Amino acid sequence: MIIIYLAIACGVIAVVYGFVTSGQVLKAPPGDQKMQDIAAAIQEGAKAYLGRQYRTIAIVGVIVAVILFLTLGPLTTVGFALGAILSGAAGFVGMNISVRANVRTAEAARTSLQGGLTLAFRSGAITGMLVAGLGLLAIAVLFWYLIGIAGHAPNGRAVIEALTALAFGASLISIFARLGGGIFTKAADVGADLVGKVEAGIPEDDPRNPAVIADNVGDNVGDCAGMAADLFETYVVTIGLTMISIALLVPGLVGEDLLALMSLPLIVGGVCIITSIIGTYFVRLGKKQSIMGALYKGFWATALISVPAIYAVTSAALGDMNATIGGGFTGADGPSFTGWGLFICMMIGLAVTGLLVWITEYYTGTEYRPVRSIAKSSETGHGTNVIQGLAISLESTALPTLVIVVAVVATYQIAGIIGIAFAATSLLALAGMVVALDAYGPVTDNAGGIAEMAGLPDDVRTRTDALDAVGNTTKAVTKGYAIGSAALAALVLFGAYTTDLRHYATELGLTGEVDFSLSSPYVVVGLLLGALLPYLFGAFGMTAVGRAAGSVVEDVRTQFREDSGIMAGTSRPNYGRTVDIVTKAAIKEMIVPSLLPVLAPIIVYFVVMWVATMGAPDPLPIEYGSAEAYGRAQGFAAVGALLLGVIVSGLFVAISMTSGGGAWDNAKKYIEDGNHGGKGSEAHKAAVTGDTVGDPYKDTAGPAVNPMIKITNIVALLMLAALAAAGSGGESMMVAIGG
Amino acid sequence: MIIIYLAIACGVIAVVYGFVTSGQVLKAPPGDQKMQDIAAAIQEGAKAYLGRQYRTIAIVGVIVAVILFLTLGPLTTVGFALGAILSGAAGFVGMNISVRANVRTAEAARTSLQGGLTLAFRSGAITGMLVAGLGLLAIAVLFWYLIGIAGHAPNGRAVIEALTALAFGASLISIFARLGGGIFTKAADVGADLVGKVEAGIPEDDPRNPAVIADNVGDNVGDCAGMAADLFETYVVTIGLTMISIALLVPGLVGEDLLALMSLPLIVGGVCIITSIIGTYFVRLGKKQSIMGALYKGFWATALISVPAIYAVTSAALGDMNATIGGGFTGADGPSFTGWGLFICMMIGLAVTGLLVWITEYYTGTEYRPVRSIAKSSETGHGTNVIQGLAISLESTALPTLVIVVAVVATYQIAGIIGIAFAATSLLALAGMVVALDAYGPVTDNAGGIAEMAGLPDDVRTRTDALDAVGNTTKAVTKGYAIGSAALAALVLFGAYTTDLRHYATELGLTGEVDFSLSSPYVVVGLLLGALLPYLFGAFGMTAVGRAAGSVVEDVRTQFREDSGIMAGTSRPNYGRTVDIVTKAAIKEMIVPSLLPVLAPIIVYFVVMWVATMGAPDPLPIEYGSAEAYGRAQGFAAVGALLLGVIVSGLFVAISMTSGGGAWDNAKKYIEDGNHGGKGSEAHKAAVTGDTVGDPYKDTAGPAVNPMIKITNIVALLMLAALAAAGSGGESMMVAIGG
């Protein structure tokens, strides 16, 4: 129990860090009146958007909560609500600090690069620590309540269901926030560029462009709030899933031993919050004034300090590091394991994090072949830029896949599925630092915009541009990291699904093992349908951005037409109207695609079950008692395959989109730095096209694949529980359907 | 045996049709001297390329043949050589008629649309019938020789191995031909456009452009010869695979019954050649002068007549349509089936063909939402055109996937894996007609080029343009069709793989069942690695086009610089030099990506086997006698999963690329027809960018995924046989490695 208290303490420290650092950031000078006015407009727009987004999500959330209450009872509902509210809170708080740090970063950049870097990074660190801290607190406090106050067994069904519901709440909010925010930010960005840069011929962030405030709002609601909700979800799902998999797969363990092992992911997460906070103090410019180098110093310091820290808490929690843990396994036919084994798995997790960061840097950094090849191909026009960008985006999936494949096999050989789960836990334990690096990006992006709009001297803009450039890489890093953790978690989620199937076999009316062999046509069909989801989801996201951007273009054209003073610079454009239009469009567009992964497992189960029952072979194989039992088994097999299909295809779709998009963006930046003709050249125009294409790729469709994968898996787990509850009681399900 | 003779007769009829129709085409007037000169240059270039390509492939082929001879013996080697030579021949003959029909189509288009249509379509039909006829003859004659002259049992190992080797030969050639031809045609196309349209500002097919002949050569070597080799491969693999799956999975059948069932795919293929030939006579312009309508008349006539034709041959071959066929199944736990059941499965196959054609038409035709949405989005620039095109390309995967999923489940419920195989057979039986529609495209494309270069009157060019426009859709149709058949065949191929594993269990040192369950990490790893292959392959293909196009641009620039008379129109550019440069580039670029799918299963097997042996659990699960046996089982499980991973991801990559590319191309055509500003508008420029991006998507990377999937599967089957041979004898393998 002491371990859980320690983990809660670490979570509290993260929150305290957030408050203290917020105070420091807010104390920094907010610039002149003009800058403050602009910042106020951005704040107002961001708040208005997030308010409306949360109200819309709340409606969906309440409906889901009622369904959960009727089918699975109050505990699940509370877990769901907790996850949903905290996921929303993580996004809200992150956005709130980000819209205040932007103007202060611009002001600090008047004096020095280090000043701007410190402010922007501190603001990012607040978001990062709050994401990790709130995530850890949510799980740890819930776990503490369930086993302490409510008196459930650590591996009891109540704990498993509550943790699953917590993850579901976080996932549901995060898919809306990621997608809605992603559509907002890119619709505003693309729309502003199209009508400003292309049609009117005015530069980016020109205050005459009515969409310019919407563009800056987008950075905060998409890249900051949406990203924070997404990473909160990833954190909660991964740590929670590790605990669930211990509860499900190591039944031989009881009493203190069980509690210690189940608390280990919590304290690993806790201690890594501390190492992340320490790491933030290593972020300083060196002699070379390399911004990326400064950020990396923080990251690598955190990673290095985490090695002994994780060892310390592991040996403290488990005692003898060489003792074999657990007796028989169910579901995981891996070897039994030791504390040392788990520690090595966690080190593999850290190594995966480092490798994913390095690979993303290679594919999106301006010093390496991929970005330079796109820049070079821009010389021959728009078409060749896009062709080369697509080639790089396809290619960029290879190394991360190999890293994940090696990690899966190695950790599985050491400690079975539990080993994979612990690797994912240590990967995510660094979330505080990784999110800090990412949330730094929108602040500097905004700072640049404010500097431009407020007419600050050119050297300020040069400094904010330098700060912003590395943001493209750090943003890509977080997305690769999140999807990488999803791939690592895939087998663990599948393990939870199969174990639950076995657990509920009687209630579900299953008479034999569900056959997940690739030679079953229902499995192949499930794989194909699962693989389709990221494609369809991506298509929705890309189309939504195109449509919403179109409405921005029309509004701006109308404003230019109605008031010729705007272009002349004599009258102020109606920024609020554009923000309002993008807000409405983004919220309208996010609903349908977000429901796709929620409904897919349910629809696939019922359709396949019905079809397989109808077409059950005659004579029936012995193990199935009836055609219905055969049909149910095939339905569950198809859903299981769907879960793996969605990750097998989603991993590639997500990585290719996020890395490719980052590479396109930085190829443009590389040309703007004076290569291949520099700004204004034909190559630059082609690179702008590539950047526009990459925008919805990397900031809308690609990153939303990560919560989409999780939500499909969690809905499948909840569906099993709901079907089982209906099977034994029946009434609750009928009430839900009837009322 | 009479059925086999009838099938051979049908194959001979196809060849005779080819010769007779060739005579008709060649009798048509070849135009004036200028046209003939241009055509001669194209002929010369195409022959030179194909000659060099075949010489390069021959080197690889001889090496592979030697390895096969040493590991698997003379019979396999002969089968391989037969498949390879005929696949090459199908491409060569198709190209040969295409480069003669082009100029004659241009000449015929002087008089009437119908005249041009008839000539171009006849030329396509020659290629189509030869592809199907040669494919059918290859399998039927080989089968006849093996069971007649050599006296093997129809389901004996000799037959299975020879048919597999035949498929391997066809696949190996076709991946080189598809990829090499694809790189050639798009490098020339993109290069010519970039330097001609964009830099020099001269129209497409302008004789002053030194790359213009290379562009026309590309249509013949890529879209005609490469496509023909690909479809030959698909035909041989599908029909052969159906026969192999009968031999492997219906062991209860003997004597005449077995021979009748194994001959059924042959005679279905044969009778559909006849219906395809009949269908060609339905291709006539109606009152509306709709070219697509004329082509569809031919297709639908063939499909409709095929229904009673297939019924007739099925009942003739099997006798009683209601009798249950086969006793016990191995591997396929589907129901036992009847003649009626097989007939219904084949009807489902025909329905899939029709639906795939209809869906492709929807996504690539100018009358429907997808193409129009891309055209509309071109108004706001290059970026939005590409974004919308990518969205459509992602979306276009959904309906084909659903069609395939429904077909897999329905046919499996009717007749197990054999049912799926027969659906694929009837799908492919229409290949003669489908290839005719496709091979028509490059002829009209060339005719347009020749009309432009020879300075024929504008109305001729208008007619050839109209003929060419539908070519974009028919080209996309064939590619969707080929990849759809691969998806349908995936389960059948996997069934063959698992049955072979069981057959060779002793020789391979397998002590228990290989576990293909999704809960095995080695299976998940195999799925991920398989899913990676199409991405990596696509990246290679796209990069290769970019690089080769770059060398075209440089050559053309040099020619313009060295001789200013070229642009003035006073001196003739050195067409041959450009052709030569593209030839060398395409052949160099095709080698590495083509070897990727050949080597992948072998590497994955040995690496996973080694890693799993090293990390075998302790204590070992009872069913494995040793760590080595455990390792081998995991290696084979990973390879099996790789085979499904490559189709699960390849289906989406291929469809999105081919449909998306077709949509981009026709969006440009739609604008050129006077919509959204028409030719020369900003929207048109954006649409040209989209078209350029779509080029390597639809003509290089996308279509080559189909043979890539097949070759991965076939190499896996051959690897099993080779490992088994080495296991029992050992010596042959040592010789191969040592010598």
Side-chain angles (χ1 to χ4, degrees):
Chain A
M1 214 62 170
I2 181 96
I3 304 176
I4 300 175
Y5 289 125
L6 280 174
I8 293 176
C10 291
V12 172
I13 289 173
V15 175
V16 170
Y17 171 88
F19 275 100
V20 172
T21 314
S22 291
Q24 291 174 354
V25 169
L26 292 178
K27 254 190 285 175
D32 59 31
Q33 192 56 42
K34 196 165 182 195
M35 289 164 73
Q36 291 189 37
D37 286 349
I38 297 165
I42 298 174
Q43 276 170 37
E44 197 187 312
K47 268 199 188 154
Y49 173 75
L50 226 57
R52 201 176 312 189
Q53 176 181 284
Y54 283 162
R55 279 196 297 280
T56 309
I57 303 178
I59 297 171
V60 180
V62 168
I63 296 171
V64 172
V66 170
I67 295 173
L68 286 178
F69 185 80
L70 293 171
T71 52
L72 292 166
L75 186 62
T76 302
T77 315
V78 170
F80 169 77
L82 190 65
I85 290 167
L86 285 177
S87 177
F92 186 76
V93 175
M95 184 276 287
N96 236 342
I97 188 72
S98 176
V99 293
R100 284 172 176 76
N102 53 9
V103 63
R104 291 169 171 83
T105 300
E107 179 64 20
R110 276 176 187 264
T111 335
S112 72
L113 192 62
Q114 176 72 53
L117 172 64
T118 303
L119 253 168
F121 180 72
R122 272 200 194 148
S123 156
I126 296 165
T127 307
M129 297 316 150
L130 283 180
V131 162
L134 289 179
L136 186 63
L137 281 176
I139 314 175
V141 171
L142 185 66
F143 188 57
W144 165 79
Y145 167 81
L146 290 169
I147 63 167
I149 314 283
H152 293 289
N155 60 355
R157 269 287 142 185
V159 173
I160 293 171
E161 281 178 15
L163 287 177
T164 309
L166 181 76
F168 182 48
S171 291
L172 191 70
I173 300 310
S174 81
I175 192 165
F176 281 111
R178 239 321 177 189
L179 197 63
I183 294 170
F184 186 112
T185 181
K186 289 304 125 176
D189 190 355
V190 171
D193 281 2
L194 285 176
V195 81
K197 280 197 220 171
V198 182
E199 281 188 24
I202 52 179
E204 199 172 331
D205 293 323
D206 190 295
R208 288 172 292 174
N209 190 338
V212 74
I213 294 290
D215 184 10
N216 280 286
V217 168
D219 294 338
N220 292 294
V221 302
D223 300 345
C224 186
M227 180 276 296
D230 179 9
L231 268 287
F232 176 86
E233 179 262 5
T234 308
Y235 192 90
V236 168
V237 170
T238 308
I239 309 269
L241 183 66
T242 306
M243 295 170 72
I244 291 174
S245 66
I246 295 167
L248 289 173
L249 301 175
V250 198
L253 224 52
V254 287
E256 278 303 312
D257 288 348
L258 174 64
L259 191 58
L261 189 59
M262 282 190 76
S263 312
L264 183 55
L266 292 175
I267 191 64
V268 167
V271 77
C272 286
I273 286 179
I274 310 296
T275 60
S276 295
I277 291 176
I278 297 171
T280 62
Y281 296 100
F282 283 81
V283 176
R284 292 209 65 82
L285 289 172
K287 267 183 242 157
K288 286 194 206 153
Q289 296 281 305
S290 156
I291 302 164
M292 199 72 212
L295 295 174
Y296 275 167
K297 263 188 261 172
F299 173 78
W300 291 115
T302 301
L304 277 179
I305 307 169
S306 297
V307 174
I310 292 177
Y311 179 79
V313 295
T314 307
S315 73
L318 301 181
D320 182 0
M321 290 285 277
N322 291 310
T324 302
I325 299 169
F329 277 78
T330 61
D333 61 334
S336 50
F337 52 85
T338 62
W340 265 111
L342 290 185
F343 175 69
I344 293 170
C345 290
M346 289 191 272
M347 290 306 104
I348 291 174
L350 289 186
V352 170
T353 312
L355 285 168
L356 289 180
V357 169
W358 181 79
I359 293 166
T360 313
E361 162 82 5
Y362 174 72
Y363 274 102
T364 60
T366 46
E367 302 99 276
Y368 306 101
R369 176 189 60 84
V371 167
R372 295 203 169 176
S373 73
I374 298 176
K376 173 98 182 62
S377 69
S378 309
E379 286 184 357
T380 37
H382 302 264
T384 40
N385 167 289
V386 177
I387 290 175
Q388 186 60 23
L390 286 172
I392 292 297
S393 79
L394 293 170
E395 184 196 308
S396 67
T397 59
L399 290 179
T401 307
L402 293 180
V403 167
I404 288 162
V405 157
V406 169
V408 163
V409 170
T411 52
Y412 182 85
Q413 290 190 345
I414 294 168
I417 286 185
I418 302 294
I420 302 177
F422 270 95
T425 289
S426 72
L427 185 90
L428 252 294
L430 299 193
M433 177 46 89
V434 173
V435 172
L437 296 180
D438 189 331
Y440 147 98
V443 175
T444 57
D445 201 346
N446 259 237
I450 292 171
E452 184 79 29
M453 285 185 271
L456 299 190
D458 278 354
D459 61 330
V460 180
R461 178 77 212 214
T462 310
R463 288 196 198 105
T464 57
D465 271 356
L467 292 170
D468 188 25
V470 299
N472 284 321
T473 296
T474 59
K475 272 164 67 180
V477 162
T478 318
K479 290 160 195 162
Y481 170 80
I483 192 75
S485 79
L488 217 47
L491 257 171
V492 188
L493 282 160
F494 188 77
Y497 177 77
T498 50
T499 316
D500 263 9
L501 268 184
R502 229 172 280 123
H503 177 82
Y504 290 127
T506 319
E507 293 90 336
L508 294 173
L510 287 172
T511 47
E513 281 279 299
V514 175
D515 176 21
F516 287 111
S517 168
L518 294 178
S519 49
S520 156
Y522 301 104
V523 167
V524 171
V525 160
L527 282 173
L528 285 173
L529 292 174
L532 173 59
L533 285 183
Y535 277 80
L536 209 49
F537 189 76
F540 279 131
M542 303 277 287
T543 316
V545 169
R547 226 173 357 223
S551 58
V552 171
V553 170
E554 275 167 36
D555 176 61
V556 173
R557 282 183 187 158
T558 315
Q559 291 208 27
F560 280 156
R561 207 171 39 234
E562 286 171 356
D563 184 353
S564 58
I566 297 177
M567 272 302 278
T570 52
S571 40
R572 211 179 106 112
N574 189 345
Y575 298 124
R577 198 171 94 185
T578 317
V579 170
D580 204 50
I581 283 170
V582 194
T583 299
K584 280 183 194 147
I587 288 179
K588 202 183 91 190
E589 300 279 0
M590 82 180 174
I591 306 281
V592 173
S594 296
L595 291 177
L596 188 69
V598 176
L599 298 178
I602 302 173
I603 294 172
V604 166
Y605 170 70
F606 282 103
V607 171
V608 172
M609 180 200 70
W610 180 74
V611 169
T613 306
M614 291 294 110
D618 182 27
L620 210 61
I622 305 162
E623 65 264 40
Y624 306 106
S626 65
E628 285 73 23
Y630 174 82
R632 280 192 290 268
Q634 307 315 322
F636 290 125
V639 171
L642 175 96
L643 303 184
L644 273 182
V646 71
I647 181 78
V648 163
S649 131
L651 177 70
F652 296 93
V653 170
I655 293 182
S656 66
M657 286 183 169
T658 54
S659 289
W664 261 314
D665 200 340
N666 273 343
K668 187 192 71 173
K669 288 235 156 46
Y670 182 69
I671 290 178
E672 286 174 354
D673 289 346
N675 302 292
H676 303 289
K679 257 190 178 170
S681 63
E682 285 302 312
H684 184 240
K685 282 182 199 156
V688 169
T689 293
D691 179 35
T692 309
V693 172
D695 271 344
Y697 240 47
K698 75 180 196 304
D699 289 324
T700 313
V705 168
N706 172 41
M708 196 203 77
I709 292 171
K710 304 313 187 4
I711 211 156
T712 314
N713 277 276
I714 296 169
V715 168
L717 289 177
L718 288 173
M719 183 177 74
L720 288 190
L723 287 172
S728 59
E731 286 149 288
S732 56
M733 190 65 142
M734 298 311 288
V735 172
I737 293 167
Chain B
M1 215 63 172
I2 179 96
I3 305 176
I4 300 174
Y5 289 126
L6 281 173
I8 293 176
C10 291
V12 172
I13 290 174
V15 176
V16 170
Y17 171 87
F19 274 100
V20 172
T21 315
S22 290
Q24 290 174 353
V25 168
L26 292 178
K27 253 191 283 175
D32 59 30
Q33 192 55 43
K34 196 165 183 195
M35 289 164 73
Q36 292 189 37
D37 284 351
I38 297 164
I42 298 173
Q43 278 170 36
E44 197 187 312
K47 269 202 186 152
Y49 173 74
L50 226 57
R52 203 177 310 189
Q53 176 180 283
Y54 284 161
R55 278 197 297 280
T56 309
I57 303 178
I59 297 170
V60 179
V62 168
I63 295 170
V64 172
V66 169
I67 295 173
L68 286 178
F69 185 80
L70 294 171
T71 53
L72 291 165
L75 187 60
T76 303
T77 315
V78 170
F80 169 77
L82 190 65
I85 291 167
L86 285 176
S87 179
F92 186 77
V93 175
M95 184 276 288
N96 237 342
I97 188 72
S98 176
V99 293
R100 283 173 178 77
N102 53 9
V103 64
R104 290 168 171 85
T105 300
E107 179 64 21
R110 276 178 187 259
T111 335
S112 73
L113 192 62
Q114 176 71 54
L117 173 63
T118 305
L119 252 170
F121 180 73
R122 272 201 194 146
S123 156
I126 296 165
T127 306
M129 298 316 149
L130 283 181
V131 163
L134 289 180
L136 186 63
L137 281 176
I139 313 175
V141 171
L142 185 64
F143 187 57
W144 166 79
Y145 167 80
L146 290 170
I147 63 168
I149 314 283
H152 292 289
N155 61 356
R157 270 286 142 187
V159 173
I160 294 171
E161 281 178 15
L163 287 177
T164 309
L166 181 75
F168 182 49
S171 291
L172 191 70
I173 300 311
S174 82
I175 193 164
F176 281 109
R178 243 315 181 192
L179 198 64
I183 294 170
F184 187 112
T185 180
K186 289 304 125 177
D189 190 356
V190 171
D193 281 3
L194 284 176
V195 80
K197 282 197 220 172
V198 182
E199 280 188 25
I202 52 178
E204 200 172 329
D205 294 324
D206 190 296
R208 287 173 293 174
N209 189 338
V212 75
I213 294 289
D215 185 9
N216 281 287
V217 167
D219 295 338
N220 292 295
V221 301
D223 301 344
C224 187
M227 181 275 297
D230 179 8
L231 267 286
F232 176 86
E233 177 262 7
T234 308
Y235 192 91
V236 168
V237 170
T238 309
I239 309 269
L241 183 65
T242 306
M243 296 171 70
I244 292 173
S245 65
I246 295 167
L248 288 173
L249 301 174
V250 199
L253 225 52
V254 286
E256 277 304 310
D257 287 351
L258 174 65
L259 192 58
L261 189 61
M262 283 190 75
S263 312
L264 183 55
L266 293 175
I267 191 64
V268 167
V271 76
C272 286
I273 286 179
I274 310 295
T275 61
S276 295
I277 291 176
I278 296 172
T280 61
Y281 295 102
F282 284 80
V283 176
R284 293 209 64 83
L285 289 172
K287 266 182 244 155
K288 286 193 203 153
Q289 295 281 305
S290 155
I291 302 165
M292 199 71 211
L295 295 175
Y296 275 168
K297 264 187 263 174
F299 173 77
W300 291 114
T302 300
L304 277 178
I305 307 170
S306 296
V307 175
I310 291 177
Y311 179 81
V313 296
T314 307
S315 71
L318 302 181
D320 183 0
M321 289 285 277
N322 291 307
T324 303
I325 299 170
F329 277 78
T330 60
D333 62 334
S336 50
F337 53 84
T338 63
W340 266 111
L342 290 186
F343 174 68
I344 293 170
C345 290
M346 287 191 273
M347 291 305 105
I348 291 174
L350 287 186
V352 169
T353 312
L355 286 168
L356 289 181
V357 168
W358 181 79
I359 294 166
T360 312
E361 161 81 6
Y362 173 73
Y363 274 101
T364 60
T366 47
E367 302 100 277
Y368 305 101
R369 176 189 59 84
V371 167
R372 295 203 168 177
S373 73
I374 298 176
K376 173 97 182 65
S377 69
S378 309
E379 286 184 356
T380 37
H382 302 263
T384 41
N385 167 289
V386 177
I387 290 175
Q388 186 60 25
L390 287 172
I392 293 297
S393 79
L394 293 170
E395 185 196 309
S396 67
T397 58
L399 290 179
T401 307
L402 293 180
V403 167
I404 288 162
V405 158
V406 169
V408 164
V409 171
T411 51
Y412 181 84
Q413 289 189 345
I414 293 169
I417 286 183
I418 301 295
I420 303 178
F422 269 96
T425 288
S426 72
L427 185 92
L428 252 294
L430 299 194
M433 178 46 90
V434 174
V435 171
L437 297 179
D438 188 329
Y440 146 97
V443 175
T444 58
D445 200 345
N446 259 236
I450 292 172
E452 184 78 30
M453 283 186 272
L456 297 191
D458 278 354
D459 61 328
V460 180
R461 179 77 212 214
T462 311
R463 289 196 197 105
T464 57
D465 270 356
L467 292 169
D468 187 26
V470 299
N472 283 322
T473 297
T474 59
K475 270 163 68 180
V477 163
T478 318
K479 290 160 196 162
Y481 169 81
I483 191 77
S485 79
L488 218 48
L491 256 168
V492 188
L493 283 160
F494 188 76
Y497 177 76
T498 50
T499 315
D500 263 8
L501 269 183
R502 230 171 279 122
H503 176 83
Y504 289 128
T506 319
E507 293 89 337
L508 294 173
L510 288 171
T511 47
E513 280 280 297
V514 175
D515 177 20
F516 286 112
S517 169
L518 294 177
S519 50
S520 155
Y522 301 104
V523 167
V524 172
V525 159
L527 281 174
L528 286 173
L529 292 175
L532 173 59
L533 285 183
Y535 277 81
L536 209 48
F537 189 74
F540 279 131
M542 303 276 288
T543 316
V545 169
R547 229 179 346 230
S551 58
V552 172
V553 170
E554 274 166 38
D555 176 60
V556 173
R557 281 182 187 158
T558 314
Q559 292 209 24
F560 280 158
R561 208 172 38 236
E562 286 174 355
D563 182 355
S564 58
I566 296 179
M567 271 302 276
T570 51
S571 39
R572 211 178 106 112
N574 189 345
Y575 299 123
R577 197 171 93 185
T578 318
V579 171
D580 203 50
I581 283 170
V582 195
T583 299
K584 280 184 195 145
I587 288 178
K588 201 182 91 191
E589 299 279 359
M590 82 180 175
I591 306 282
V592 174
S594 297
L595 291 178
L596 189 68
V598 176
L599 298 178
I602 302 172
I603 294 171
V604 167
Y605 170 70
F606 282 103
V607 171
V608 172
M609 180 200 70
W610 180 75
V611 169
T613 305
M614 291 294 109
D618 182 26
L620 209 61
I622 305 163
E623 64 267 39
Y624 307 105
S626 64
E628 284 73 24
Y630 173 84
R632 279 192 291 266
Q634 309 312 324
F636 289 126
V639 171
L642 176 95
L643 302 184
L644 274 181
V646 71
I647 180 78
V648 163
S649 136
L651 177 70
F652 295 94
V653 170
I655 293 183
S656 66
M657 286 183 169
T658 54
S659 288
W664 261 313
D665 200 339
N666 273 342
K668 187 192 70 173
K669 287 236 156 48
Y670 182 69
I671 290 178
E672 287 175 352
D673 290 346
N675 302 290
H676 303 289
K679 258 190 176 170
S681 64
E682 285 302 313
H684 184 240
K685 280 182 199 155
V688 169
T689 293
D691 179 36
T692 309
V693 173
D695 271 344
Y697 240 48
K698 74 180 199 305
D699 289 323
T700 311
V705 168
N706 172 42
M708 195 203 77
I709 292 171
K710 301 324 185 356
I711 212 157
T712 314
N713 276 276
I714 297 170
V715 168
L717 289 177
L718 288 173
M719 183 178 73
L720 290 189
L723 287 172
S728 60
E731 286 149 287
S732 56
M733 191 67 141
M734 298 312 287
V735 172
I737 294 166

